[in-house]
Amino acid sequence: MTKKVITIDGPAGAGKSTVSKALADRLKYLYLDTGALYRALAFKALKKNIDVNHPGELAGLCSVTDVVLKNINGKMTVWVDGEDVGEKIRAEEVGLAASTISAYAVVREKLLSLQREAGADGGIVAEGRDMGSVVFPDADFKFYLDADLEERIRRRCGELACRTGGAEPSSVSRDMRARDEQDTNRKIAPLAAAPDAVIIDSTSLTIPQVVEKILEHLSGASVSGKP
Ligand code: DC
């Protein structure tokens, strides 16, 4: 059986990463975190003091920056100018800058073909904001994962506590509201559910429950990790 392209879009903190990783694991598919690509460019922009609101500066950044996706033992990793950016891109500050630069066409164009190449052979769970609407419009299965803002803030605080030792809930709330606003209202490839996406509200669901719900949808089409 051919391996499918599965897309999972949704706002920050809706549980997309955890769900997508778990799903990819269950199906023995690759997990593609497209936010990491935007974060990687934003990380370099911040490091180089580039104005993340200046299209000319961003065009310059894109033209001199080498972004590569490498499949290392089944794990997709993002490399910038020959360096694996790993966990460095996970700070909230980088997420917010990624959201800002992702509104610019020059940035989205630079990253588009990388994402499509990664999914070209199928067998992928692609997570982001425009996976089902723009990057993989012909995906076999599209999901849009949502949750109430308060719950998303609570989850992000928990995640940051694990990763970095913690963050002020008030600043997480401010950053998340700003990201929602930017990601939803930008002109190019805004955060939106594709018309043919299955919408799942995860507010009162656990991660395993969301994964099971998705697997139920797939089982109708007998998608499995087995060749
Ligand atoms: O998923 P994330 O929080 O790591 O993404 C960081 C930012 O990158 C997000 O706020 C908007 C942008 N992004 C995007 O515009 N399109 C995607 N497919 C993925 C992320």
Side-chain angles (χ1 to χ4, degrees):
M1 197 181 95
T2 56
K3 292 203 161 190
K4 309 288 186 195
V5 173
I6 300 170
T7 62
I8 303 193
D9 290 304
K16 298 187 302 297
S17 307
T18 323
V19 164
S20 302
K21 266 184 228 160
L23 184 65
D25 233 36
R26 289 279 289 267
L27 298 171
K28 298 191 172 50
Y29 276 20
L30 272 179
Y31 161 56
L32 177 65
D33 170 10
T34 60
L37 295 167
Y38 292 91
R39 284 173 179 264
L41 267 182
F43 178 72
K44 180 167 174 186
L46 294 175
K47 204 163 77 176
K48 298 279 174 199
N49 275 323
I50 283 166
D51 181 349
V52 292
N53 283 295
H54 193 291
E57 289 197 24
L58 290 175
L61 171 76
C62 287
S63 68
V64 299
T65 305
D66 182 38
V67 183
V68 177
L69 266 172
K70 282 192 200 173
N71 177 345
I72 299 181
N73 299 327
K75 185 171 183 269
M76 292 301 236
T77 51
V78 182
W79 295 66
V80 173
D81 300 332
E83 185 198 350
D84 178 358
V85 289
E87 283 291 301
K88 287 182 223 155
I89 57 174
R90 292 294 149 197
E92 279 301 89
E93 180 201 15
V94 180
L96 192 53
S99 168
T100 305
I101 67 166
S102 70
Y104 292 92
V106 68
V107 170
R108 302 204 77 83
E109 276 158 22
K110 179 174 178 70
L111 301 177
L112 183 61
S113 55
L114 275 179
Q115 299 169 69
R116 287 201 172 138
E117 276 163 27
D121 296 330
I124 196 160
V125 179
E127 176 226 321
R129 303 293 188 286
D130 61 341
M131 295 297 98
S133 52
V134 175
V135 179
F136 300 112
D138 300 325
D140 301 282
F141 296 95
K142 301 180 184 180
F143 297 92
Y144 186 89
L145 196 54
D146 210 348
D148 288 352
L149 178 63
E150 293 311 316
E151 175 62 16
R152 292 192 284 120
I153 293 167
R154 198 186 65 72
R155 289 180 191 170
R156 182 50 53 93
C157 287
E159 192 185 305
L160 287 170
C162 291
R163 278 183 190 280
T164 62
E168 271 301 307
S170 58
S171 75
V172 173
S173 165
R174 193 191 53 230
D175 289 354
M176 195 165 280
R177 284 169 203 273
R179 280 223 271 160
D180 277 2
E181 163 73 20
Q182 290 186 153
D183 294 351
T184 311
N185 294 321
R186 67 179 177 228
K187 291 204 176 66
I188 319 159
L191 166 67
D196 48 349
V198 174
I199 297 174
I200 298 176
D201 185 335
S202 74
T203 308
S204 55
L205 298 176
T206 62
I207 295 294
Q209 284 172 330
V210 176
V211 174
E212 282 312 315
K213 252 183 188 292
I214 293 178
L215 286 168
E216 274 167 31
H217 281 281
L218 304 183
S219 66
S222 43
V223 176
S224 79
K226 297 184 192 100

